[in-house]
Amino acid sequence: MPLPGVSVKIKGATGGTTTGADGKYTVRVTSRSTTLEFSYIGYSTQSRTIGGGSVINVALESDSKTLTDVVVTGYGVTKKKDFTGSASSVKGDDLKDKPVQSFVQGLTGQAAGVSIIQPNGLLNNPPVIRVRGVSSISLSSFPLVIVDGIPFPTGDASANSAANNPLGDINPADIESIDILKDAASTALYGSRAAAGVLVITTKKGKTGDAKVTYDGWVGVNNAVRLPEVLNAQQYIDSKNAAVKNALAINPNALTAAQRDANGLSFFPSYNADGSLVDTKWYDEVYRTAYSQNHNVTISGGTAKTTYYISGGITDQDGFLKANSFQRNSARANLTHKATEWLELNLNLNYNNSFNKSPQSGSAPGSAFSSSGLGRIAVAAAPNVSVYKPDGSYNLSGQYIGNNANLIAGTWAHPTVLVEKDLNTSENTRFLTNLGATFKIVDGLTFRSNYSWDRSNTENIQFWNPLSGDGFTYTGYAYNNTARRNNWNWINTVQYNKTFGGDHNLNLTLGSDVQKTRTVNWGAIRQGLGDPTFFNQFQGTYVTNVPGGNSINQISFEAYLASVSYNYKGKYFLSGNFRRDGNSGLAQENKWGNFGGGSIGWSISQEDFFKNSSLANTISNLRIRASYGRVGNANVGSYNEYTTYSPALYGAIPFAWLYGQAGNKDLKWETSNQTDIGLNIGFLKDRLTFEADYFHKDINNLILDVPQAPSKGIPGGSILANVGSMYNKGFEFAISGVPVKTTNFTWTTNLNFTTIKNEVTALDPNVKQIIGTTSTLESASITTVGQPIGSIYAVRTNGVNPANGRRIFINGAGREVQYLHLGGTNAWTYLDGTPASSPAGDAQVIGGTLPKWYGGFNNTFAYKNFDLNIMFTYSGGNYIYNGSRAGLLDQRFWNNSTEILNAWTTPGQETNIPRVVYGDNVSNGSSFPIDANVEKGDFLRLQAATLGYKIPKSVFGKIGITGARVYASVNNAFIITGYTGVDPEISTNGNSNLASGIERNSIPQGRSFTFGISLGL
């Protein structure tokens, strides 16, 4: 088909032209002109010898490396060969075969310097993204996300246990490219919001030609993997009774008379109606085999003046956690129209509705220790009690699972009741539009105005039943919340792009960027069902009705920016960016900040001395570059300068005011000074490419809570101030290319590897350390000067005393102390038996939780019509606090992992599991963190594997199908690791900087198998 806009140049000269709407061109050549070059973004460049004829027709072929040819910086597009910053690009097509809710999940392992993990297996859970490490201590380290020019929200939009990731509102099938800007020279145009990097997402546009219709669909199945192996009913009875006997031997009054029988036993078998032993597998009540489907249809095409891309998508996914589901309905229309020779218009419209549903999994930050958390109940509930009573009703004793024959009552909520009777949903409806106009003023000078509007409504519905779980004490609890978010962004830029004398290339951009976001929350809480047998959050008969979660928040940004880039003969490159940013969240004196960066580059391979050397036969591209810049972190929130008060009741009188917030007019930006030095090498006409970067990020003015005198009466006893600093430094390496390419076989590969070190260099002088907590109960994380942020903080141990089976701890003085549960004054003794004190307060820094190295290895093999993609990810050098293991060894009424069967029983026995004593929650690490539960997080994972087959066109005859591909894939196929928890990438505390690397009662990851088809018409 005719291809307009193709650049036609005379090789070695400055002359040239572009093709018209019909694909035709005319160019005047001289007798010295020998070759024409034809180039167009998205297609391989072609060269043709002129010869003696007057007509040269050329068919351009699609270039599989299109998205590496340019880098989208948000305010413009830069050719990859002219780009001197540091960025990684990923094609949207690399995401389409993956059963993901958010495009970010498909990015895992595909970009050097970018770490992406899923905190747990809950559907549409916000991921944890780190671009070149953690970028703050108290503020978010999530990168800025730009979608077609507009900043996009990234926080969880849910007000209950149904995770709602706003990035899940973007249909991955609509994405053309994702450019990840990493260094300050690349991100400086986003100034105050670029400290954590920038993800620039470009959605698909139509291309000139007849209408093209495509369909992509898949169905899949998903299961939980790496679940702990727990005791069965008989093992549980035997182990717990042994623990009871040991407890009574130490202290005969350890249990009441009602908690034991005459033989000193407390746990007994129960039997089903058919006489079989009750042996409940609570996993079956919590997890399931889940089925999902996804369908996308697109229509695209256009004329020389107007192009269009229209799409519609439906996804319906069930999670392996029962009652967890995610649905999304999306529609998009992207239009471009060349109104005149000097005016081009574009319009992007996107409608999306996503519906998230989930019971209380216990995996969300702040809920790890919830007795209603299904992930915890599934491993901790006693296996010798039944799910239902003989009459078919739930087996309940009060609000908890019934005891059956056990004399000691458990206090776990009934998981089946929670799954069937509770309701937690979060529905998001978003309308996003982007309207732009580009004016060509004179040759090389253009003005672009772009207005974006993002309107979203989120409705969160929560209902806790009155039978069991969190709603029991309220006799039923309902909370509904609606958040209305209005976000607009107006960007105006003037760009001058000109080549002088054929050697000097100049690009200059000036612009302004204004954004305003207003969010209004309305909600109400209802407690106390008038009719507790009628389970519905909309029931009218509640005892109390009160407002809940009501708020208004507004924040604005205003910025002025400038960017200039220059290169001489494609050899020497120079660029600089500057942005002056204003943030309404700061006081007038500090509202504005200046940010900027610069970079230089030298393309050595373009020098004559290199071209004439023997290296030129092998090395087709050799370039060195360096950049330096200063960017900021704008996640300071609103109204920081104001001292606020909140209305309250004084007795029954509603005329009291409570001190709400101490304002700080001196609060200013967190800043990051970044250095990058890079090397690019291309071999064999860039068939293989190698890229290496050294980076150093100095992060200063970190915002922390600074303690204040109690006499000030400040809420929380602290005030925010800029007092901290830290750094990240490391190396990035990436190799990509086509090592093998024959007539029938092609191997394409990409390998990236990142090393990184983080260290906190300053805190407030009055703050020696910051303790990070998990759900405010477990303090296993510490941030202190000289150590990585969020390091593991635990008491050291030295195994189990083989003489008596007691856990050995190491106190602050380095001496060994052993523990005897129920030992009274002799509970803590030195190994010689003399009294000692508890070492609970002697925790030490054990190791860092941030990976010191990570990366991905992506390979695609194509043989004739078959293709195979294999994607590995890996990470290591970090430690994980396996708090779940502490619970799995806890000697209360909880079930245990089969590891407890290795517990000490006989003098002289060598084992790492202490003697079981009923009620002991110290020896296992439940009372305070111990290093026995610290494990290395190194792993190698087969992240994804896909086998596809392209059906020959001849099969379809003349029915109109131009192409078809069927495929099968597996995600999270296997993992090689020494970590014993559910997954080394689990993050119970989500995106937390201060308490990363913790696993505590989270649900695992899943393994999914997907079968799909792609059709083209």
Side-chain angles (χ1 to χ4, degrees), residues 547-783:
N550 297 325
S551 66
I552 298 177
N553 185 278
Q554 180 172 298
I555 192 165
S556 301
F557 297 93
E558 182 177 355
Y560 301 92
L561 56 97
S563 173
V564 60
S565 64
Y566 165 82
N567 79 75
Y568 175 70
K569 289 187 174 181
K571 299 180 182 179
Y572 315 110
F573 300 85
L574 179 67
S575 69
N577 299 319
F578 175 79
R579 178 169 173 136
R580 180 161 174 79
D581 247 328
N583 183 345
S584 68
L586 299 172
Q588 188 63 40
E589 297 81 359
N590 296 303
K591 198 177 295 292
W592 290 90
N594 298 321
F595 307 92
S599 62
I600 56 174
W602 179 25
S603 185
I604 302 173
S605 55
Q606 294 300 311
E607 298 286 1
D608 290 338
F609 71 81
F610 187 91
K611 292 180 178 179
N612 296 326
S613 71
S614 59
L615 288 175
N617 296 326
T618 304
I619 300 177
S620 50
N621 177 40
L622 176 60
R623 187 167 58 138
I624 58 175
R625 50 188 166 76
S627 69
Y628 178 81
R630 179 175 182 266
V631 290
N633 191 330
N635 297 308
V636 297
S638 308
Y639 318 122
N640 288 288
E641 66 175 300
Y642 300 109
T643 296
T644 63
Y645 297 85
S646 301
L649 293 174
Y650 182 73
I653 304 174
F655 296 111
W657 291 92
L658 296 179
Y659 201 170
Q661 170 184 294
N664 183 357
K665 293 183 179 296
D666 296 325
L667 197 67
K668 54 187 178 182
W669 311 93
E670 290 188 351
T671 58
S672 176
N673 298 321
Q674 303 181 15
T675 301
D676 184 278
I677 300 173
L679 170 69
N680 295 82
I681 306 178
F683 299 93
L684 305 174
K685 296 183 179 180
D686 287 354
R687 184 168 169 178
L688 290 175
T689 62
F690 172 77
E691 184 173 347
D693 282 84
Y694 166 78
F695 63 89
H696 193 290
K697 295 172 63 173
D698 271 317
I699 307 165
N700 302 297
N701 299 319
L702 291 172
I703 297 174
L704 300 173
D705 286 316
V706 175
Q708 303 295 306
S711 59
K712 293 183 178 180
I714 292 176
S718 63
I719 189 171
L720 294 177
N722 301 93
V723 294
S725 62
M726 66 179 177
Y727 70 79
N728 299 314
K729 65 179 181 180
F731 292 90
E732 298 171 0
F733 305 95
I735 301 174
S736 61
V738 187
V740 179
K741 186 173 184 179
T742 66
T743 303
N744 294 324
F745 180 75
T746 303
W747 170 29
T748 305
T749 187
N750 175 279
L751 170 67
N752 65 79
F753 179 77
T754 300
T755 69
I756 189 168
K757 178 184 178 182
N758 169 269
E759 183 177 319
V760 176
T761 54
L763 298 174
D764 182 75
N766 298 315
V767 178
K768 181 180 178 182
Q769 59 193 29
I770 301 173
I771 302 299
T773 64
T774 299
S775 301
T776 71
L777 291 177
E778 187 169 66
S779 303
S781 306
I782 186 172
T783 297

Side-chain angles (χ1 to χ4, degrees), residues 412-602:
W412 299 115
H414 199 300
T416 310
V417 177
L418 300 180
V419 167
E420 295 179 352
K421 300 299 183 183
D422 279 2
L423 179 67
N424 295 278
T425 66
S426 183
E427 183 177 9
N428 201 47
T429 302
R430 165 174 270 115
F431 177 76
L432 194 154
T433 182
N434 185 305
L435 179 63
T438 302
F439 301 85
K440 183 178 179 181
I441 302 173
V442 295
D443 185 34
L445 181 64
T446 59
F447 169 72
R448 179 170 176 79
S449 184
N450 194 85
Y451 181 82
S452 301
W453 181 47
D454 177 14
R455 177 62 179 265
S456 65
N457 287 337
T458 304
E459 182 181 40
N460 298 299
I461 294 177
Q462 183 177 66
F463 174 74
W464 294 341
N465 77 86
L467 297 180
S468 182
D470 297 321
F472 179 83
T473 56
Y474 301 104
T475 320
Y477 178 96
Y479 170 49
N480 286 16
N481 160 265
T482 298
R484 185 174 70 247
R485 185 175 180 274
N486 198 61
N487 174 30
W488 61 264
N489 187 218
W490 188 23
I491 301 172
N492 293 280
T493 57
V494 176
Q495 187 175 63
Y496 182 66
N497 194 341
K498 194 71 173 177
T499 298
F500 301 94
D503 296 331
H504 303 274
N505 302 285
L506 177 67
N507 185 291
L508 176 65
T509 301
L510 299 174
S512 67
D513 187 342
V514 184
Q515 182 182 6
K516 181 178 179 180
T517 304
R518 181 180 176 88
T519 305
V520 179
N521 277 274
W522 294 96
I525 297 172
R526 312 178 81 181
Q527 300 175 7
L529 280 170
D531 182 356
T533 62
F534 183 56
F535 303 105
N536 193 298
Q537 72 275 17
F538 298 114
Q539 183 185 161
T541 53
Y542 278 84
V543 175
T544 60
N545 296 272
V546 296
N550 297 325
S551 66
I552 298 177
N553 185 278
Q554 180 172 298
I555 192 165
S556 301
F557 297 93
E558 182 177 355
Y560 301 92
L561 56 97
S563 173
V564 60
S565 64
Y566 165 82
N567 79 75
Y568 175 70
K569 289 187 174 181
K571 299 180 182 179
Y572 315 110
F573 300 85
L574 179 67
S575 69
N577 299 319
F578 175 79
R579 178 169 173 136
R580 180 161 174 79
D581 247 328
N583 183 345
S584 68
L586 299 172
Q588 188 63 40
E589 297 81 359
N590 296 303
K591 198 177 295 292
W592 290 90
N594 298 321
F595 307 92
S599 62
I600 56 174
W602 179 25

Side-chain angles (χ1 to χ4, degrees), residues 986-1005:
I986 288 293
S987 179
T988 293
N989 296 311
N991 207 32
S992 170
N993 299 324
L994 291 171
S996 61
I998 306 295
E999 182 194 326
R1000 185 51 114 153
N1001 304 322
S1002 292
I1003 65 171
Q1005 302 285 9

Side-chain angles (χ1 to χ4, degrees), residues 39-221:
S39 61
Y40 189 66
I41 292 178
Y43 295 83
S44 298
T45 298
Q46 302 277 357
S47 296
R48 292 290 187 273
T49 301
I50 294 175
S54 60
V55 176
I56 297 178
N57 293 327
V58 176
L60 296 188
E61 296 182 353
S62 178
D63 182 2
S64 61
K65 298 194 300 179
T66 295
L67 298 179
T68 63
D69 290 342
V70 297
V71 176
V72 183
T73 61
Y75 294 100
V77 177
T78 303
K79 292 181 180 179
K80 184 75 172 178
K81 66 183 183 66
D82 297 338
F83 185 67
T84 51
S86 181
S88 296
S89 299
V90 178
K91 294 180 291 185
D93 286 346
D94 292 339
L95 311 176
K96 66 179 183 179
D97 295 346
K98 296 179 172 60
V100 297
Q101 299 87 46
S102 166
F103 69 90
V104 177
Q105 295 169 326
L107 290 179
T108 303
Q110 299 213 46
V114 183
S115 170
I116 301 174
I117 69 171
Q118 290 303 122
N120 53 65
L122 203 65
L123 290 180
N124 206 31
N125 205 42
V128 178
I129 306 178
R130 300 283 187 262
V131 177
R132 292 184 169 178
V134 175
S135 299
S136 182
I137 291 180
S138 63
L139 306 184
S140 174
S141 287
F142 207 96
L144 175 66
V145 177
I146 305 294
V147 180
D148 287 335
I150 184 171
F152 209 76
T154 57
D156 196 334
S158 175
N160 54 57
S161 59
N164 188 342
N165 174 20
L167 296 179
D169 289 345
I170 304 170
N171 187 348
D174 289 334
I175 294 176
E176 177 74 21
S177 67
I178 302 171
D179 291 274
I180 306 168
L181 311 180
K182 297 181 289 189
D183 71 323
S186 307
T187 63
L189 276 181
Y190 290 101
S192 66
R193 293 185 272 183
V198 182
L199 268 64
V200 182
I201 300 168
T202 304
T203 59
K204 294 178 179 178
K205 308 295 189 296
K207 296 179 180 179
T208 302
D210 293 337
K212 181 180 180 182
V213 180
T214 66
Y215 164 79
D216 290 283
W218 53 257
V219 294
V221 60

Side-chain angles (χ1 to χ4, degrees), residues 3-10 15-19 25 36-41 45-46 60 79:
L3 192 60
V6 175
S7 173
V8 183
K9 292 185 177 181
I10 303 171
T17 186
T18 58
T19 58
Y25 68 96
L36 291 182
E37 287 186 341
F38 302 82
S39 61
Y40 189 66
I41 292 178
T45 298
Q46 302 277 357
L60 296 188
K79 292 181 180 179

Side-chain angles (χ1 to χ4, degrees), residues 271-316:
Y271 299 94
N272 298 306
D274 60 2
S276 60
L277 179 70
V278 171
D279 190 358
T280 300
K281 295 177 176 60
W282 290 105
Y283 284 153
D284 295 338
E285 301 301 310
V286 172
Y287 300 112
R288 65 183 173 185
T289 296
Y291 299 93
S292 301
Q293 58 179 317
N294 186 79
H295 307 277
N296 291 288
V297 176
T298 67
I299 304 174
S300 64
T303 65
K305 283 194 171 184
T306 304
T307 62
Y308 57 89
Y309 171 88
I310 301 172
S311 73
I314 298 174
T315 185
D316 186 358

